[in-house]
């Protein structure tokens, strides 16, 4: 394996690709035996490529930072020094205290560890360490208690990389640095291949991959870290974008869809019924969807819109456009309550509409919309199923039950999936496959959980995205208040009673309990009992939770809709889409435990009518993050703005997680910090694919260049992720 022993002069061998590096097992490195290899594997480092992508989490600039002299009491600090003394002793309760002294020529620092006896073995005189922690003083001397310790061994160089270390896997920063150095030394003679075309590199001011890989691990200066990072971040984001854009194009080239011939007849009548003019955003988005639907390629579009932006109308427009051309439409909602509500609203909007009848002797027949959930009685269900297959039903509204085996369509042409974050990708695919014949229906996915544009490019990058970024006029903004203590809570309940007295209605959302449906239901029941016996005594209060049967839930919801119930005490089952314009107060108990998106969704249940609405966030925030979330909600009602804040607070892992469970492809890149790079990566991916498509088949060099890039992307994303993207 050693390059030095190779009979072939190294210059003649091609540069190493990512695939080459991925094929080199970690154990082929000098200094990595079976035991170390096992540790590394447990940290998901299997190949030399994994190791080279095991990036430093920070750097220490020996020339500038990290002097003991510069530590400030009461602040966090980082120092690099040498251990000069280690002492271990027993203290009260038979616990062990390890005292260590570290010096660096500018001063000395006392370091203490409680109950970490192994530190006495880990640290010894003469060892170079980096310490990171809060600085106190003890009897006039600087001290750190239980700091983070990085062993940097005998690393030289002005900038010392600090690698993520794993106590459990027994991987220290110095070990990683040594193995990385070995890997780089071995790669040096052949150098690392760079498939990004030179003109792109030049235009973007990127350094080449070889240099970037060396500089991220063994930088000369912090400036060289920055340019290395810039290039490697691009590579990560580019791999994802290339995969997604290719996926999109592949579909465009291979899938055959329906070229809908909408007449505008039904949609026109529906809009007339509706009575309000469309918002500019609705017009724009309807235009985008109509274009997609006319096109014989199947639509794969995501509709992002804040709560209350009027997505339902857009969805209905799409469904009707399909029906106009003689096709069926399906609308899938995440819950029965929501499916039921959609059915009610849509049926009333479409009341009296006639469609062409090709079967009977009459030229037209009434448009048929049917609800198909598990709550529908069996006999009705059977009938609706049969009539869906025969084509007598035009629009079917349902939940997951729509994708059950038994549901077949006559000619499904449009599918709308509401609140997509609740649906798996597989479910989408199954529904799409319900279309008879070889034509794929158009698919519109709607989400009320806005995510920032650049994050959407990564998470939904294989879909076209439309954004409904405008609320219909005449909404009174919702006032959000924090009832952090008993006094504010008292005025909160007062305001609930006042609103009810004025003829309005209220929601009370119970504390979030993730343990189980059952426990959550029990706690909701307790809250309900407490409130009806106390704060909400004498009001008509009802309970809604996930353990109730569909029929029970429907009864409660329709009574609430009818105004027969003053206050609805509920779990998060009401989170999405519930639309009762007369409800003007939302109380969220123990609000600090909910996420931003969830709070925003819940708040969106009020402020839907002509009356001014209030949202109360109750309870102390038990964590700093909880407080930040509450503050964010008070400060903004804009879902996209809140999504940005959410991303800041939670990091990208969770957003990626919505689509890609498990491994996060981003080792170095951050959807938060590297927004411009996401956009750039997508532009470059599109540009390179355009070039490859434009070049004639005889231009082998373009195709070769592209396949090198594609191969890189596959290696970087790992086979499972590639498959995942494939499946969409
Ligand atoms: P979303 O699903 O995006 O949260 P909905 O589709 O439920 O929002 O619409 C919220 C409310 O706004 C509904 O009561 C709907 O009838 C109303 N609405 C939608 N579009 C308009 C419009 N252009 N003008 C006035 N009201 C509208
Ligand atoms: Mg909705």
């Amino acid at each position: 394996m050693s390059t030095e022993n190779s009979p072939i002069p190294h210059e003649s061998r091609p540069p190493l690709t990512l695939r080459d590096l991925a094929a080199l097992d970690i154990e082929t490195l000098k200094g990595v035996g079976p035991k170390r290899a096992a540790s590394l594997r447990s940290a998901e480092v299997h190949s030399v490529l994994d190791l080279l992508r095991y990036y430093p989490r920070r750097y220490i600039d020996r020339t500038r930072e990290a002097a003991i002299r510069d530590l400030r009491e009461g602040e966090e600090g980082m120092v690099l020094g040498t251990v000069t003394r280690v002492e271990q002793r027993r203290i009260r309760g038979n616990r062990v205290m390890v005292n260590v002294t570290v010096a660096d020529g500018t001063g000395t620092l006392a370091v203490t560890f409680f109950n970490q006896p192994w530190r006495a073995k880990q640290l010894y005189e003469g060892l170079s360490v980096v310490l990171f922690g809060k600085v106190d003083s003890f009897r006039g001397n600087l001290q750190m208690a239980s700091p983070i310790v990085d062993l940097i061994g005998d690393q030289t160089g002005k900038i010392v990389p600090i690698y993520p270390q794993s106590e459990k896997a027994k991987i220290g920063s110095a070990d990683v640095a040594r193995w990385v150095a070995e890997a780089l030394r071995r790669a040096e003679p052949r150098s690392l291949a760079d498939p990004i075309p030179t003109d792109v590199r030049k235009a973007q001011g990127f350094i080449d991959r070889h240099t970037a890989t060396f500089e991220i691990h063994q930088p000369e200066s912090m400036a060289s870290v920055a340019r290395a990072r810039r290039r490697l971040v691009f590579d990560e984001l580019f791999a994802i974008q290339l995969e997604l854009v290719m996926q999109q194009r592949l579909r465009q080239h291979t899938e055959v869809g329906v070229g809908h011939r909408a007449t505008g007849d039904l949609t026109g009548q529906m809009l007339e019924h509706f009575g309000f003019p469309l918002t500019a955003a609705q017009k724009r988005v309807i235009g985008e969807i109509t274009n997609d639907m006319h096109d014989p390629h199947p639509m794969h579009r995501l509709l992002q819109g804040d709560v209350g932006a009027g997505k339902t109308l857009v969805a209905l427009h799409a469904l009707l456009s399909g029906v106009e051309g003689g096709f069926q439409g399906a609308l899938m909602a995440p819950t029965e309550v929501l499916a039921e509500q959609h059915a009610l609203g849509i049926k009333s909007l479409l009341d009296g509409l006639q469609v062409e009848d090709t079967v009977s002797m009459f030229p037209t027949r009434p448009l048929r919309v049917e609800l198909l959930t598990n709550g529908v009685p069996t006999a009705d269900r059977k009938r609706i199923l049969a009539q869906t297959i025969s084509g007598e039903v035009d629009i079917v509204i349902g939940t997951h039950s729509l994708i059950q085996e038994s549901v077949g369509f006559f000619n499904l042409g449009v599918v709308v999936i509401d609140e997509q974050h609740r649906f798996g990708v597989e479910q989408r695919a199954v529904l799409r496959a319900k279309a008879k014949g070889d034509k794929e229906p158009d698919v519109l996915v709607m989400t009320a959980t806005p995510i920032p544009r650049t994050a959407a490019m990564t998470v939904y990058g294989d879909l076209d995205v439309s954004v409904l970024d405008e609320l219909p006029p005449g909404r009174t903004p919702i006032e959000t208040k924090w009832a952090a203590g008993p006094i504010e809570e008292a005025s909160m309940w007062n305001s609930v009673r006042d609103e009810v007295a004025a003829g309005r209605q209220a929601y009370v959302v119970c504390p979030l309990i993730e343990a189980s449906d059952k426990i959550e239901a029990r706690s909701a029941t307790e809250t309900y009992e407490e409130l009806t016996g106390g704060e909400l005594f004498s009001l008509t209060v009802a309970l809604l939770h996930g353990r109730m049967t569909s029929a029970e839930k429907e009864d409660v919801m329709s009574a609430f809709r009818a105004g027969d119930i003053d206050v609805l005490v509920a779990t998060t089952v009401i989170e999405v889409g519930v639309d009762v314009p007369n409800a003007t107060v939302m109380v969220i108990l123990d609000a600090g435990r909910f996420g931003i998106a969830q709070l925003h969704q819940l708040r969106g249940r009020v402020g839907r009518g002509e009356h001014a609405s209030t949202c109360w966030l109750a309870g102390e925030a038990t964590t700093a993050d909880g407080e930040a979330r509450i503050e964010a909600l008070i400060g903004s009602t804009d879902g996209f703005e809140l999504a940005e804040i959410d991303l800041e607070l939670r990091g990208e892992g969770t957003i990626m997680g919505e689509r890609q469970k498990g491994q996060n492809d981003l080792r170095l890149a951050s959807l938060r910090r590297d927004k411009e790079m996401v956009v750039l990566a997508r532009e470059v991916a599109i540009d390179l694919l355009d070039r490859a498509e434009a070049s004639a088949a005889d231009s082998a060099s373009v195709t070769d260049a592209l396949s090198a890039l594609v191969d890189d992307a596959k290696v970087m994303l790992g086979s499972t992720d590639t498959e995942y993207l494939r499946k969409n």
Side-chain angles (χ1 to χ4, degrees):
M1 283 312 302
S2 160
T3 33
E4 289 87 334
N5 300 338
S6 165
I8 313 163
H10 57 246
E11 294 80 7
S12 73
R13 290 191 296 166
L16 290 157
T17 63
L18 297 187
R19 188 168 291 285
D20 294 334
L21 295 171
L24 287 172
D25 191 273
I26 198 75
E27 239 181 289
T28 62
L29 286 178
K30 214 166 83 190
V32 182
K35 238 173 103 183
R36 293 300 210 167
S39 300
L40 281 165
R41 286 188 194 110
S42 73
E44 292 301 323
V45 178
H46 304 273
S47 67
V48 169
L49 178 63
D50 294 335
L51 181 67
L52 290 178
R53 294 188 69 204
Y54 195 83
Y55 296 114
R57 79 178 127 85
R58 58 173 192 270
Y59 299 85
I60 294 177
D61 186 343
R62 285 201 223 239
T63 57
R64 303 186 51 212
E65 305 165 24
I68 291 176
R69 184 181 48 207
D70 299 331
L71 290 177
R72 295 276 166 274
E73 194 186 323
E75 289 174 13
E76 291 205 316
M78 182 163 69
V79 290
L80 187 159
T82 309
V83 174
T84 57
R85 196 171 63 102
V86 181
E87 207 180 68
Q88 171 175 298
R89 60 195 177 88
R90 297 224 160 256
I91 52 170
R92 252 182 305 128
N94 199 28
R95 294 190 308 157
V96 175
M97 179 155 114
V98 177
N99 292 309
V100 176
T101 308
V102 172
D104 74 346
T106 71
T108 60
L109 176 71
V111 183
T112 54
F113 298 97
F114 293 97
N115 249 359
Q116 301 178 19
W118 52 273
R119 292 287 190 192
K121 290 200 200 76
Q122 181 199 31
L123 306 172
Y124 51 86
E125 259 177 60
L127 184 70
S128 291
V129 288
V130 175
L131 302 170
F132 182 79
K134 179 122 186 280
V135 183
D136 324 304
S137 81
F138 182 68
R139 293 185 188 147
N141 295 318
L142 289 178
Q143 164 181 298
M144 272 188 195
S146 300
I148 295 172
V149 180
D150 288 310
L151 306 183
I152 59 165
D154 52 3
Q155 287 180 75
T156 51
K158 280 187 305 196
I159 311 283
V160 180
I162 304 295
Y163 291 93
Q165 49 187 357
S166 163
E167 223 75 87
K168 201 174 86 223
K170 298 211 167 36
I171 299 172
S173 181
D175 302 322
V176 178
R178 211 171 51 246
W179 298 324
V180 166
E182 170 67 9
L184 291 176
R185 195 185 61 75
R186 296 251 310 261
E188 174 93 74
R190 273 176 75 180
S191 86
L192 302 181
D194 191 345
I196 297 288
T198 321
D199 65 319
V200 173
R201 250 154 50 199
K202 278 224 176 82
Q204 304 305 336
F206 288 137
I207 58 173
D208 64 86
R209 182 182 281 166
H210 180 88
T211 311
T213 308
F214 275 71
E215 287 191 351
I216 198 87
H217 291 291
Q218 302 178 340
E220 279 300 310
S221 65
M222 287 314 284
S224 69
V225 171
R227 56 181 203 164
R229 186 178 181 282
R230 187 165 174 274
R231 168 60 208 261
L232 296 170
V233 159
F234 174 81
D235 283 7
E236 281 184 1
L237 296 171
F238 177 78
I240 295 174
Q241 292 305 330
L242 186 67
E243 208 30 76
L244 290 167
V245 176
M246 275 195 334
Q247 189 57 44
Q248 206 174 16
R249 297 214 169 171
L250 187 71
R251 275 198 318 239
Q252 279 163 7
H253 295 158
T254 58
E255 288 180 355
V256 182
V258 181
H260 288 279
R261 291 288 160 255
T263 58
D265 182 32
L266 294 173
T267 50
Q269 290 184 61
M270 182 271 290
L271 290 176
E272 215 167 285
H273 256 197
F274 181 62
F276 298 98
L278 294 171
T279 64
Q282 281 172 325
K283 278 191 197 145
R284 189 189 65 236
V285 169
I286 284 176
E288 288 164 357
I289 293 170
T290 308
N291 275 343
D292 281 3
M293 289 182 65
H294 273 261
D295 194 287
H297 296 305
M299 166 167 78
H300 296 270
R301 186 171 284 278
L302 174 77
L303 173 57
Q304 281 209 73
D306 211 343
V307 261
K311 291 186 291 297
T312 314
L313 207 65
V314 172
L316 189 53
H317 194 282
L319 292 168
L320 287 178
S321 301
V323 174
E324 282 171 5
F327 288 89
Q328 290 172 300
L331 171 64
M332 272 209 295
T335 65
E336 300 208 341
V337 166
L338 210 56
E340 156 98 347
Q341 179 185 285
H342 272 312
L344 278 175
I346 287 174
K347 274 182 182 166
S348 79
L349 262 176
L350 301 186
D351 194 30
L353 263 61
Q354 297 280 318
V355 294
E356 215 176 289
D357 192 348
T358 48
V359 186
S360 79
M361 54 192 287
F362 302 104
T364 62
R365 61 167 175 83
L367 177 88
R368 285 264 314 265
V369 179
E370 292 293 350
L371 176 70
L372 200 57
T373 60
N374 291 326
V376 174
T378 318
D380 293 342
R381 229 184 114 72
K382 275 200 177 135
R383 183 177 45 82
I384 296 168
L385 281 172
Q387 294 172 336
T388 304
I389 294 175
S390 69
E392 289 161 78
V393 174
D394 301 294
I395 295 175
V396 183
I397 299 173
T399 59
H400 301 78
S401 56
L402 277 193
I403 60 166
Q404 281 166 4
E405 291 293 314
S406 56
V407 185
F409 290 85
F410 179 67
N411 58 354
L412 182 61
V414 202
V415 176
V416 177
I417 302 175
D418 192 10
E419 316 294 359
Q420 107 104 23
H421 59 292
R422 301 256 172 131
F423 279 107
V425 179
E426 293 76 14
Q427 291 169 316
R428 254 208 278 159
V430 173
L431 187 70
R432 221 186 292 134
K434 291 266 173 205
K436 232 178 40 182
D438 37 32
K439 291 197 170 163
E440 301 242 2
D442 286 324
V443 177
L444 178 69
V445 174
M446 305 198 290
T447 174
T449 311
I451 66 174
R453 195 173 74 95
T454 47
M457 274 184 191
T458 309
V459 183
Y460 301 113
D462 59 335
L463 304 176
D464 295 309
V465 178
S466 290
V467 180
L468 217 46
D469 50 5
E470 180 187 353
L471 295 183
R475 301 272 171 86
T476 40
I478 304 166
E479 195 186 354
T480 303
K481 295 178 181 176
W482 186 5
I487 296 172
E488 295 97 328
E489 283 194 19
S491 57
M492 171 175 90
W493 297 120
N494 274 336
S495 88
V496 172
R497 287 189 296 265
D498 289 349
E499 283 294 296
V500 169
R504 306 284 84 75
Q505 291 162 283
Y507 299 98
V508 176
V509 176
C510 298
L512 185 68
I513 299 170
E514 266 148 11
S516 78
D517 252 19
K518 200 167 148 193
I519 297 174
E520 186 158 77
R522 194 168 64 213
S523 131
T525 311
E526 280 164 17
T527 307
Y528 168 81
E529 277 159 9
E530 267 172 47
L531 290 174
T532 47
E535 278 86 0
L536 303 181
F537 184 73
S538 84
L539 304 186
T540 313
V541 185
L543 176 65
L544 188 73
H545 63 67
R547 297 284 283 195
M548 289 160 59
T549 66
S550 319
E552 286 168 341
K553 277 189 273 192
E554 271 167 33
D555 284 350
V556 170
M557 276 317 296
S558 54
F560 190 69
R561 254 181 232 122
D564 298 338
I565 292 169
D566 300 326
V567 183
L568 189 62
V569 175
T571 57
T572 51
V573 290
I574 61 149
E575 181 186 341
V576 278
V578 169
D579 187 15
V580 180
N582 191 48
T584 55
V585 191
M586 167 62 68
V587 171
I588 304 173
L589 300 176
D590 213 356
R593 297 182 61 171
F594 291 86
I596 286 187
Q598 221 172 0
L599 290 173
H600 181 60
Q601 278 294 316
L602 289 167
R603 178 170 61 182
R605 299 308 109 218
V606 295
R608 304 176 79 83
E610 66 206 276
H611 307 286
S613 295
T614 316
C615 173
W616 290 89
L617 305 175
E620 264 175 68
T622 46
T623 63
D625 267 6
E627 181 166 340
R629 291 194 291 267
I630 292 176
E631 295 292 355
L633 264 286
I634 291 170
S636 174
T637 50
D638 178 341
F640 284 92
E641 193 179 321
L642 289 169
E644 290 278 357
I645 299 173
D646 203 16
L647 188 56
E648 289 289 329
L649 288 175
R650 297 194 306 167
E652 41 280 329
T654 27
I655 282 204
M656 294 296 284
E658 281 175 12
R659 190 129 195 238
Q660 292 171 206
K661 290 192 208 75
Q663 199 190 341
N664 186 338
D665 298 321
L666 305 179
R667 305 274 165 87
L668 205 55
S670 148
L671 296 183
R672 189 163 34 107
R673 274 177 301 163
D674 302 311
K675 280 183 209 151
E676 297 78 21
M677 205 55 103
V678 174
V679 178
L680 180 64
R682 189 166 183 91
E683 282 168 9
V684 173
I686 289 171
D687 175 42
L688 293 181
L689 286 169
D690 282 349
R691 282 197 223 173
E693 280 172 22
S695 75
D698 56 75
S699 172
S701 65
V702 176
T703 327
D704 282 356
L706 186 66
S707 60
L709 288 166
V710 172
D711 200 49
D712 259 22
K714 285 198 201 314
V715 173
M716 261 206 247
L717 299 178
S719 57
T720 45
D721 282 346
T722 313
E723 257 169 51
Y724 188 93
L725 295 168
R726 262 307 76 125
K727 262 197 282 179
N728 277 273

